[in-house]
Amino acid sequence: IAGITQAPTSQILAAGRRMTLRCTQDMRHNAMYWYRQDLGLGLRLIHYSNTAGTTGKGEVPDGYSVSRANTDDFPLTLASAVPSQTSVYFCASSAVTNRGTGELFFGEGSRLTVL
Amino acid sequence: AQSVTQLDSHVSVSEGTPVLLRCNYSSSYSPSLFWYVQHPNKGLQLLLKYTSAATLVKGINGFEAEFKKSETSFHLTKPSAHMSDAAEYFCVVSDPSSNTGKLIFGQGTTLQVKP
C-alpha cells in the first residue's frame, strides 16, 4: 500500500528557478493538502483541494500554485523560488464527509533548499 | 476562529515514567481533535482522534487523550514512556461544520525519552 507518494524527496535549487513538487495518492481521497513545516512554526497550510477540479488558499499561499486535474494528483508549483521558501513540504490527503475531515494521511515530505 | 496551543515546546521524561503532553484549543463549534506523531525525517502519523463520541480516546502505542470541554483541553498521556516514543507530537483541531476540511496544527511538542 503506497498511500501518499511525494517527489522529489530532496532538492536544492537556485533562487528564481521554477520548481514543481509532485504528490500522488492511491486512496481515492477527495481532499488533498500541501503544508510547509518550519522550525518553531509547526505545519502551515499552503493550498488545499476538496475535490478534483477545485482548489483553495490556505494560510500561506503566496508564491505557490496548485492544480487538481484528477483525484490522485496534486502538484505544488513555485513559479520563481525565493530563499524564504526553503522548507520541508508535506502533501496529505483525507476523506472529507458531511461530518468533517477524517484522518489526514501524509507523505514523507520533500525537503527544498533555495539558495 | 479556531486555534490550538501546545503548552510545552519540549518535554523530557525517563524511560518507564508517565508522559503528559498538554494541548488547549479554542473553537466556536464542537471540534474534532487529533494527535499526530512525527518521527525524525518522516511524515506525520495519526495517534488518535476525538469526534464527539467517548471523551477518553485510546490510540496506538498505548497513548490516550481525554477531551475536557470545561477546560478546553485535549492532553495526551501514556503511562510508561518507551525510547521509541521520542518524536515530535502535534495537537490538531478541525471544525466539523467546515466544508473546507482544513485542520489547524499546534506548534508541536518535542518528546525526549532518557534511558
Side-chain angles (χ1 to χ4, degrees):
Chain A
I1 298 177
I4 299 265
T5 302
Q6 290 185 235
T9 56
S10 181
Q11 182 74 46
I12 299 173
L13 76 161
R17 298 297 295 270
R18 180 184 180 89
M19 178 71 194
T20 295
L21 303 180
R22 300 183 299 279
C23 176
T24 300
Q25 55 118 345
D26 62 3
M27 296 172 284
R28 308 302 294 174
H29 285 163
N30 49 344
M32 297 187 74
Y33 313 84
W34 274 105
Y35 289 88
R36 59 177 290 173
Q37 184 176 27
D38 303 287
L39 191 64
L41 298 177
L43 273 77
R44 294 179 292 169
L45 182 65
I46 304 171
H47 285 288
Y48 66 94
S49 168
N50 279 343
T51 187
T54 68
T55 63
K57 295 181 179 180
E59 301 172 66
V60 289
D62 294 343
Y64 305 95
S65 64
V66 291
S67 61
R68 186 88 183 276
N70 57 62
T71 298
D72 298 342
D73 301 301
F74 192 46
L76 176 73
T77 297
L78 290 67
S80 179
V82 295
S84 62
Q85 292 177 310
T86 295
S87 187
V88 181
Y89 292 86
F90 287 97
C91 181
S93 71
S94 71
V96 179
T97 69
N98 56 7
R99 295 184 61 191
T101 300
E103 173 185 355
L104 255 64
F105 291 81
F106 285 84
E108 300 223 331
S110 295
R111 184 175 298 274
L112 185 65
T113 303
V114 183
L115 302 176
Chain B
Q2 296 171 279
S3 66
V4 60
T5 301
Q6 292 182 241
L7 300 172
D8 306 291
S9 59
H10 187 271
V11 170
S12 181
V13 302
S14 297
E15 189 175 21
T17 64
V19 175
L20 170 63
L21 305 183
R22 298 182 295 165
C23 173
N24 286 112
Y25 69 92
S26 172
S27 177
S28 303
Y29 304 92
S30 296
S32 293
L33 293 159
F34 307 80
W35 276 98
Y36 282 83
V37 61
Q38 183 182 29
H39 288 92
N41 299 314
K42 293 292 185 182
L44 282 74
Q45 179 186 18
L46 181 70
L47 272 180
L48 50 80
K49 62 182 177 182
Y50 166 78
T51 55
S52 76
T55 57
L56 182 63
V57 181
K58 295 187 182 299
I60 62 172
N61 301 334
F63 284 94
E64 62 182 37
E66 186 172 7
F67 174 72
K68 292 186 176 180
K69 186 175 182 178
S70 62
E71 299 176 8
T72 61
S73 69
F74 190 58
H75 301 334
L76 181 70
T77 61
K78 182 173 181 177
S80 176
H82 191 273
M83 295 297 293
S84 61
D85 294 328
E88 187 85 7
Y89 291 80
F90 293 94
C91 183
V92 184
V93 64
S94 167
D95 173 8
S97 69
S98 169
N99 62 2
T100 65
K102 292 184 287 186
L103 303 183
I104 306 298
F105 282 76
Q107 293 188 351
T109 298
T110 301
L111 177 63
Q112 179 187 23
V113 182
K114 298 177 289 186

